[in-house]
Amino acid sequence: KQWYQRRVAITAGQKQPAVFLNKKRQVGAKTSKSTKEIRWTKNVGLGIKTPREAIEGTYIDKKCPFTGDVSIRGRLLRGTVRSLKMKRTLTIRRDYLHYIKKYNRFEKRHKNISAHVSPAFLDLKTGDTVLVGQCRPLSKTVRFNVLKVIATGGLDKKKFKKF
């Protein structure tokens, strides 16, 4: 019951800004209870399919690239999910090799990037590989949006996964 009350408090009074809800009724026309609610979705492009949950779901998220007002432009990056502790935000770890000219060798380095997670991706876990796309700044640290879950993986957070 508490979970339901919190969910209602979060989604109460919210609507998608692109959908007009007050459709004119015709005189004498009967309304059916099976009328499906109108849901606005978009194709982000770049060969990425819109998830089924975004099309058929009921969530409202203005920062979602599929149902919100966020366009994906710039870079597409791939990384491993490191943390899911924030609300609708995750941290991904990107591993890379840096060349040291003096020693003629490479050293391992990594960067952590925060990305917004749409409610369309409910089954994310730590260790999964995701594709994120650059968008406008959504908060102080978030400039990327999760577009696709590529692979599900183990729970090794700090393991170097370049190869």
Side-chain angles (χ1 to χ4, degrees):
K1 189 174 180 181
Q2 288 179 332
W3 175 84
Y4 177 75
Q5 288 173 339
R6 277 186 274 145
R7 181 170 170 89
V8 169
I10 292 170
T11 59
Q14 292 185 342
K15 67 178 193 71
Q16 287 184 304
V19 177
F20 182 68
L21 298 175
N22 298 329
K23 183 180 174 188
K24 302 287 185 230
R25 285 179 258 146
Q26 294 176 348
V27 178
K30 294 185 177 180
T31 58
S32 63
K33 294 180 181 178
S34 64
T35 8
K36 190 177 179 185
E37 289 187 30
I38 302 167
R39 184 154 176 88
W40 180 82
T41 59
K42 70 175 179 179
N43 182 5
V44 295
L46 307 166
I48 296 162
K49 291 184 177 179
T50 305
R52 182 174 303 280
E53 180 61 31
I55 297 168
E56 298 173 356
T58 58
Y59 68 87
I60 305 292
D61 185 12
K62 65 180 183 179
K63 296 178 182 179
C64 174
F66 307 107
T67 62
D69 189 27
V70 175
S71 60
I72 302 298
R73 78 286 190 282
R75 297 188 177 269
L76 293 178
L77 304 176
R78 187 182 302 229
T80 308
V81 177
R82 185 166 182 189
S83 166
L84 289 161
K85 295 177 183 175
M86 295 174 274
K87 183 179 174 185
R88 290 190 180 177
T89 308
L90 59 75
T91 305
I92 64 167
R93 178 184 168 110
R94 299 196 67 237
D95 297 320
Y96 60 97
L97 296 173
H98 179 251
Y99 182 68
I100 307 296
K101 196 166 148 184
K102 178 180 177 182
Y103 299 111
N104 196 23
R105 280 164 174 68
F106 292 92
E107 68 180 3
K108 297 175 185 175
R109 290 190 179 181
H110 80 276
K111 290 271 192 248
N112 290 332
I113 297 173
S114 295
H116 179 76
V117 183
S118 168
F121 302 108
L122 294 174
D123 55 345
L124 272 176
K125 295 180 193 71
T126 306
D128 293 352
T129 304
V130 294
L131 180 74
V132 295
Q134 189 178 5
C135 58
R136 63 175 170 80
L138 301 176
S139 69
K140 182 181 175 184
T141 58
V142 178
R143 275 106 178 94
F144 289 89
N145 232 314
V146 175
L147 299 176
K148 187 174 20 173
V149 180
I150 297 170
T152 56
L155 296 170
D156 292 334
K157 281 188 184 178
K158 292 198 165 187
K159 188 175 181 183
F160 191 83
K161 291 185 181 176
K162 182 66 178 170
F163 305 110

